[in-house]
Amino acid sequence: MTATTVTGQRISIFPLGGALLFPDMQLPLHIFEPRYRALVSDALARDRLIGMVQPRDDKGQLYSVGCLGRISEFEALPDGRYNIILSGVARFRVLRELDVTTPFRQIEGDLEGADAAAGDPLASVVRASLEREARRFAERLGYVVDWTAVSRLDDASLVNGIAQVAPFDIASKQALLEALTLADRAEQTIQLMQFYGLTDNDGEATLQ
């Protein structure tokens, strides 16, 4: 799929607070609300695409950037619920919300200008710094990581993988998703790992 195939087209959205999806990453979801069961049913009958976007507040306002996901796996349960896995396709920018009769919300989304972060590879010094800080961060948190496998990841998969799984707050993850370039996202990820890796005696993150 190229960005231009869905630019300016309708995207059915799932504005689920706390659930961010990054390109080429996967997000498992249990779907139980009737409106989102309808969303999944509709997506399965059409193109399997769902837009994940963060709500900005409890009034339904949305952040301007989300990530389009494709249902790569699903399990339809007897009572109408679903277990699905969304695989990130590309970021999108919300142009406007559409007036629809479906129980789920739909927007007009633009992928053409919103996916610049998938562009040029990282400079070798940035890649080395990212891997080094990821090792330190994982050690501080007690994570067990296959670093040989990590070293084989392409730049985008490494950056997006850390951004999706690291225990950053939602505002920080949204900022990572909105980063203009992959290099920007990598630099922000390094800074966040350094910040979240600093703890005081109470286990709270502190600025030094």
Side-chain angles (χ1 to χ4, degrees), residues 102-126:
T102 56
F104 49 87
R105 298 166 69 180
Q106 299 181 50
I107 56 100
E108 182 180 1
D110 179 9
L111 277 76
E112 190 169 44
D115 208 30
D120 296 335
L122 299 177
S124 58
V125 65
V126 176

PDB file of all heavy atoms in Angstrom, residues 102-126:
ATOM      1  N   THR A 102     -22.923   5.725  10.775  1.00  0.00           N
ATOM      2  CA  THR A 102     -22.395   4.526  11.426  1.00  0.00           C
ATOM      3  C   THR A 102     -22.224   4.782  12.919  1.00  0.00           C
ATOM      4  O   THR A 102     -22.028   5.930  13.344  1.00  0.00           O
ATOM      5  CB  THR A 102     -21.047   4.133  10.820  1.00  0.00           C
ATOM      6  OG1 THR A 102     -20.147   5.247  10.917  1.00  0.00           O
ATOM      7  CG2 THR A 102     -21.194   3.712   9.369  1.00  0.00           C
ATOM      8  N   PRO A 103     -22.261   3.735  13.743  1.00  0.00           N
ATOM      9  CA  PRO A 103     -22.067   3.923  15.176  1.00  0.00           C
ATOM     10  C   PRO A 103     -20.635   4.304  15.547  1.00  0.00           C
ATOM     11  O   PRO A 103     -20.395   4.808  16.636  1.00  0.00           O
ATOM     12  CB  PRO A 103     -22.444   2.561  15.770  1.00  0.00           C
ATOM     13  CG  PRO A 103     -22.270   1.582  14.657  1.00  0.00           C
ATOM     14  CD  PRO A 103     -22.608   2.335  13.408  1.00  0.00           C
ATOM     15  N   PHE A 104     -19.712   4.060  14.643  1.00  0.00           N
ATOM     16  CA  PHE A 104     -18.305   4.420  14.874  1.00  0.00           C
ATOM     17  C   PHE A 104     -17.975   5.673  14.062  1.00  0.00           C
ATOM     18  O   PHE A 104     -18.625   5.995  13.072  1.00  0.00           O
ATOM     19  CB  PHE A 104     -17.370   3.272  14.476  1.00  0.00           C
ATOM     20  CG  PHE A 104     -17.638   2.688  13.115  1.00  0.00           C
ATOM     21  CD1 PHE A 104     -17.057   3.224  11.968  1.00  0.00           C
ATOM     22  CD2 PHE A 104     -18.488   1.598  12.981  1.00  0.00           C
ATOM     23  CE1 PHE A 104     -17.316   2.684  10.720  1.00  0.00           C
ATOM     24  CE2 PHE A 104     -18.744   1.042  11.729  1.00  0.00           C
ATOM     25  CZ  PHE A 104     -18.160   1.591  10.599  1.00  0.00           C
ATOM     26  N   ARG A 105     -16.938   6.380  14.506  1.00  0.00           N
ATOM     27  CA  ARG A 105     -16.566   7.642  13.893  1.00  0.00           C
ATOM     28  C   ARG A 105     -15.689   7.421  12.656  1.00  0.00           C
ATOM     29  O   ARG A 105     -14.952   6.439  12.577  1.00  0.00           O
ATOM     30  CB  ARG A 105     -15.833   8.519  14.917  1.00  0.00           C
ATOM     31  CG  ARG A 105     -16.693   8.854  16.102  1.00  0.00           C
ATOM     32  CD  ARG A 105     -15.895   9.415  17.262  1.00  0.00           C
ATOM     33  NE  ARG A 105     -15.355  10.748  16.972  1.00  0.00           N
ATOM     34  CZ  ARG A 105     -14.627  11.442  17.847  1.00  0.00           C
ATOM     35  NH1 ARG A 105     -14.331  10.915  19.036  1.00  0.00           N
ATOM     36  NH2 ARG A 105     -14.177  12.646  17.525  1.00  0.00           N
ATOM     37  N   GLN A 106     -15.780   8.355  11.719  1.00  0.00           N
ATOM     38  CA  GLN A 106     -14.961   8.306  10.518  1.00  0.00           C
ATOM     39  C   GLN A 106     -14.388   9.689  10.254  1.00  0.00           C
ATOM     40  O   GLN A 106     -15.020  10.704  10.550  1.00  0.00           O
ATOM     41  CB  GLN A 106     -15.782   7.841   9.311  1.00  0.00           C
ATOM     42  CG  GLN A 106     -16.363   6.446   9.457  1.00  0.00           C
ATOM     43  CD  GLN A 106     -17.137   6.025   8.223  1.00  0.00           C
ATOM     44  OE1 GLN A 106     -16.648   6.136   7.105  1.00  0.00           O
ATOM     45  NE2 GLN A 106     -18.360   5.541   8.422  1.00  0.00           N
ATOM     46  N   ILE A 107     -13.176   9.697   9.704  1.00  0.00           N
ATOM     47  CA  ILE A 107     -12.528  10.964   9.393  1.00  0.00           C
ATOM     48  C   ILE A 107     -11.996  10.923   7.957  1.00  0.00           C
ATOM     49  O   ILE A 107     -11.897   9.848   7.342  1.00  0.00           O
ATOM     50  CB  ILE A 107     -11.366  11.265  10.371  1.00  0.00           C
ATOM     51  CG1 ILE A 107     -10.328  10.121  10.380  1.00  0.00           C
ATOM     52  CG2 ILE A 107     -11.900  11.512  11.770  1.00  0.00           C
ATOM     53  CD1 ILE A 107      -9.099  10.368   9.572  1.00  0.00           C
ATOM     54  N   GLU A 108     -11.706  12.091   7.433  1.00  0.00           N
ATOM     55  CA  GLU A 108     -10.931  12.165   6.211  1.00  0.00           C
ATOM     56  C   GLU A 108      -9.481  12.300   6.628  1.00  0.00           C
ATOM     57  O   GLU A 108      -9.114  13.219   7.373  1.00  0.00           O
ATOM     58  CB  GLU A 108     -11.354  13.361   5.361  1.00  0.00           C
ATOM     59  CG  GLU A 108     -10.582  13.449   4.045  1.00  0.00           C
ATOM     60  CD  GLU A 108     -11.001  14.638   3.198  1.00  0.00           C
ATOM     61  OE1 GLU A 108     -11.879  15.409   3.649  1.00  0.00           O
ATOM     62  OE2 GLU A 108     -10.445  14.793   2.101  1.00  0.00           O
ATOM     63  N   GLY A 109      -8.648  11.369   6.201  1.00  0.00           N
ATOM     64  CA  GLY A 109      -7.260  11.348   6.632  1.00  0.00           C
ATOM     65  C   GLY A 109      -6.297  11.515   5.478  1.00  0.00           C
ATOM     66  O   GLY A 109      -6.566  11.110   4.355  1.00  0.00           O
ATOM     67  N   ASP A 110      -5.157  12.107   5.767  1.00  0.00           N
ATOM     68  CA  ASP A 110      -4.126  12.360   4.761  1.00  0.00           C
ATOM     69  C   ASP A 110      -2.849  11.662   5.192  1.00  0.00           C
ATOM     70  O   ASP A 110      -2.261  11.997   6.217  1.00  0.00           O
ATOM     71  CB  ASP A 110      -3.903  13.866   4.639  1.00  0.00           C
ATOM     72  CG  ASP A 110      -2.822  14.223   3.634  1.00  0.00           C
ATOM     73  OD1 ASP A 110      -2.368  13.314   2.910  1.00  0.00           O
ATOM     74  OD2 ASP A 110      -2.441  15.401   3.581  1.00  0.00           O
ATOM     75  N   LEU A 111      -2.411  10.688   4.425  1.00  0.00           N
ATOM     76  CA  LEU A 111      -1.159  10.003   4.711  1.00  0.00           C
ATOM     77  C   LEU A 111       0.013  10.612   3.958  1.00  0.00           C
ATOM     78  O   LEU A 111       1.155  10.314   4.263  1.00  0.00           O
ATOM     79  CB  LEU A 111      -1.258   8.520   4.340  1.00  0.00           C
ATOM     80  CG  LEU A 111      -1.897   7.610   5.384  1.00  0.00           C
ATOM     81  CD1 LEU A 111      -3.397   7.774   5.408  1.00  0.00           C
ATOM     82  CD2 LEU A 111      -1.524   6.164   5.143  1.00  0.00           C
ATOM     83  N   GLU A 112      -0.237  11.447   2.992  1.00  0.00           N
ATOM     84  CA  GLU A 112       0.823  11.929   2.113  1.00  0.00           C
ATOM     85  C   GLU A 112       1.868  12.739   2.859  1.00  0.00           C
ATOM     86  O   GLU A 112       3.063  12.536   2.689  1.00  0.00           O
ATOM     87  CB  GLU A 112       0.221  12.775   0.993  1.00  0.00           C
ATOM     88  CG  GLU A 112       1.219  13.114  -0.097  1.00  0.00           C
ATOM     89  CD  GLU A 112       0.533  13.717  -1.310  1.00  0.00           C
ATOM     90  OE1 GLU A 112      -0.342  14.583  -1.131  1.00  0.00           O
ATOM     91  OE2 GLU A 112       0.867  13.297  -2.420  1.00  0.00           O
ATOM     92  N   GLY A 113       1.424  13.670   3.714  1.00  0.00           N
ATOM     93  CA  GLY A 113       2.389  14.509   4.405  1.00  0.00           C
ATOM     94  C   GLY A 113       2.713  14.043   5.803  1.00  0.00           C
ATOM     95  O   GLY A 113       3.628  14.550   6.429  1.00  0.00           O
ATOM     96  N   ALA A 114       1.975  13.051   6.308  1.00  0.00           N
ATOM     97  CA  ALA A 114       2.127  12.681   7.707  1.00  0.00           C
ATOM     98  C   ALA A 114       3.121  11.570   7.934  1.00  0.00           C
ATOM     99  O   ALA A 114       3.436  11.249   9.063  1.00  0.00           O
ATOM    100  CB  ALA A 114       0.767  12.249   8.269  1.00  0.00           C
ATOM    101  N   ASP A 115       3.662  10.952   6.857  1.00  0.00           N
ATOM    102  CA  ASP A 115       4.518   9.793   7.058  1.00  0.00           C
ATOM    103  C   ASP A 115       5.977  10.069   6.713  1.00  0.00           C
ATOM    104  O   ASP A 115       6.714   9.163   6.352  1.00  0.00           O
ATOM    105  CB  ASP A 115       4.007   8.603   6.243  1.00  0.00           C
ATOM    106  CG  ASP A 115       4.386   7.273   6.895  1.00  0.00           C
ATOM    107  OD1 ASP A 115       4.502   7.234   8.134  1.00  0.00           O
ATOM    108  OD2 ASP A 115       4.580   6.301   6.171  1.00  0.00           O
ATOM    109  N   ALA A 116       6.408  11.301   6.864  1.00  0.00           N
ATOM    110  CA  ALA A 116       7.796  11.644   6.572  1.00  0.00           C
ATOM    111  C   ALA A 116       8.766  10.942   7.514  1.00  0.00           C
ATOM    112  O   ALA A 116       9.936  10.759   7.200  1.00  0.00           O
ATOM    113  CB  ALA A 116       7.991  13.160   6.670  1.00  0.00           C
ATOM    114  N   ALA A 117       8.293  10.511   8.687  1.00  0.00           N
ATOM    115  CA  ALA A 117       9.174   9.875   9.658  1.00  0.00           C
ATOM    116  C   ALA A 117       9.655   8.505   9.205  1.00  0.00           C
ATOM    117  O   ALA A 117      10.494   7.905   9.844  1.00  0.00           O
ATOM    118  CB  ALA A 117       8.469   9.753  11.010  1.00  0.00           C
ATOM    119  N   ALA A 118       9.127   8.009   8.101  1.00  0.00           N
ATOM    120  CA  ALA A 118       9.588   6.719   7.593  1.00  0.00           C
ATOM    121  C   ALA A 118      10.680   6.901   6.540  1.00  0.00           C
ATOM    122  O   ALA A 118      10.987   5.970   5.809  1.00  0.00           O
ATOM    123  CB  ALA A 118       8.416   5.954   6.990  1.00  0.00           C
ATOM    124  N   GLY A 119      11.277   8.081   6.490  1.00  0.00           N
ATOM    125  CA  GLY A 119      12.182   8.420   5.397  1.00  0.00           C
ATOM    126  C   GLY A 119      13.607   7.944   5.552  1.00  0.00           C
ATOM    127  O   GLY A 119      13.885   6.766   5.684  1.00  0.00           O
ATOM    128  N   ASP A 120      14.558   8.883   5.554  1.00  0.00           N
ATOM    129  CA  ASP A 120      15.979   8.569   5.475  1.00  0.00           C
ATOM    130  C   ASP A 120      16.450   7.726   6.658  1.00  0.00           C
ATOM    131  O   ASP A 120      15.951   7.870   7.775  1.00  0.00           O
ATOM    132  CB  ASP A 120      16.790   9.860   5.426  1.00  0.00           C
ATOM    133  CG  ASP A 120      16.509  10.665   4.168  1.00  0.00           C
ATOM    134  OD1 ASP A 120      16.101  10.051   3.159  1.00  0.00           O
ATOM    135  OD2 ASP A 120      16.692  11.892   4.205  1.00  0.00           O
ATOM    136  N   PRO A 121      17.427   6.840   6.430  1.00  0.00           N
ATOM    137  CA  PRO A 121      17.974   6.038   7.526  1.00  0.00           C
ATOM    138  C   PRO A 121      18.701   6.926   8.538  1.00  0.00           C
ATOM    139  O   PRO A 121      19.106   8.057   8.227  1.00  0.00           O
ATOM    140  CB  PRO A 121      18.942   5.081   6.821  1.00  0.00           C
ATOM    141  CG  PRO A 121      19.292   5.759   5.533  1.00  0.00           C
ATOM    142  CD  PRO A 121      18.061   6.508   5.133  1.00  0.00           C
ATOM    143  N   LEU A 122      18.901   6.394   9.731  1.00  0.00           N
ATOM    144  CA  LEU A 122      19.580   7.149  10.776  1.00  0.00           C
ATOM    145  C   LEU A 122      21.071   7.243  10.492  1.00  0.00           C
ATOM    146  O   LEU A 122      21.670   6.331   9.913  1.00  0.00           O
ATOM    147  CB  LEU A 122      19.376   6.466  12.131  1.00  0.00           C
ATOM    148  CG  LEU A 122      17.952   6.326  12.649  1.00  0.00           C
ATOM    149  CD1 LEU A 122      17.949   5.561  13.972  1.00  0.00           C
ATOM    150  CD2 LEU A 122      17.290   7.692  12.824  1.00  0.00           C
ATOM    151  N   ALA A 123      21.663   8.332  10.942  1.00  0.00           N
ATOM    152  CA  ALA A 123      23.119   8.425  10.915  1.00  0.00           C
ATOM    153  C   ALA A 123      23.684   7.356  11.842  1.00  0.00           C
ATOM    154  O   ALA A 123      23.073   7.000  12.856  1.00  0.00           O
ATOM    155  CB  ALA A 123      23.564   9.814  11.369  1.00  0.00           C
ATOM    156  N   SER A 124      24.845   6.824  11.509  1.00  0.00           N
ATOM    157  CA  SER A 124      25.417   5.719  12.291  1.00  0.00           C
ATOM    158  C   SER A 124      25.620   6.096  13.753  1.00  0.00           C
ATOM    159  O   SER A 124      25.413   5.273  14.648  1.00  0.00           O
ATOM    160  CB  SER A 124      26.746   5.272  11.672  1.00  0.00           C
ATOM    161  OG  SER A 124      27.657   6.360  11.614  1.00  0.00           O
ATOM    162  N   VAL A 125      25.983   7.353  14.020  1.00  0.00           N
ATOM    163  CA  VAL A 125      26.199   7.774  15.400  1.00  0.00           C
ATOM    164  C   VAL A 125      24.890   7.795  16.174  1.00  0.00           C
ATOM    165  O   VAL A 125      24.854   7.466  17.374  1.00  0.00           O
ATOM    166  CB  VAL A 125      26.897   9.153  15.443  1.00  0.00           C
ATOM    167  CG1 VAL A 125      25.995  10.240  14.848  1.00  0.00           C
ATOM    168  CG2 VAL A 125      27.302   9.503  16.864  1.00  0.00           C
ATOM    169  N   VAL A 126      23.789   8.158  15.500  1.00  0.00           N
ATOM    170  CA  VAL A 126      22.481   8.173  16.158  1.00  0.00           C
ATOM    171  C   VAL A 126      22.016   6.742  16.430  1.00  0.00           C
ATOM    172  O   VAL A 126      21.512   6.431  17.518  1.00  0.00           O
ATOM    173  CB  VAL A 126      21.442   8.925  15.307  1.00  0.00           C
ATOM    174  CG1 VAL A 126      20.057   8.846  15.945  1.00  0.00           C
ATOM    175  CG2 VAL A 126      21.858  10.369  15.135  1.00  0.00           C
TER     176      VAL A 126
END
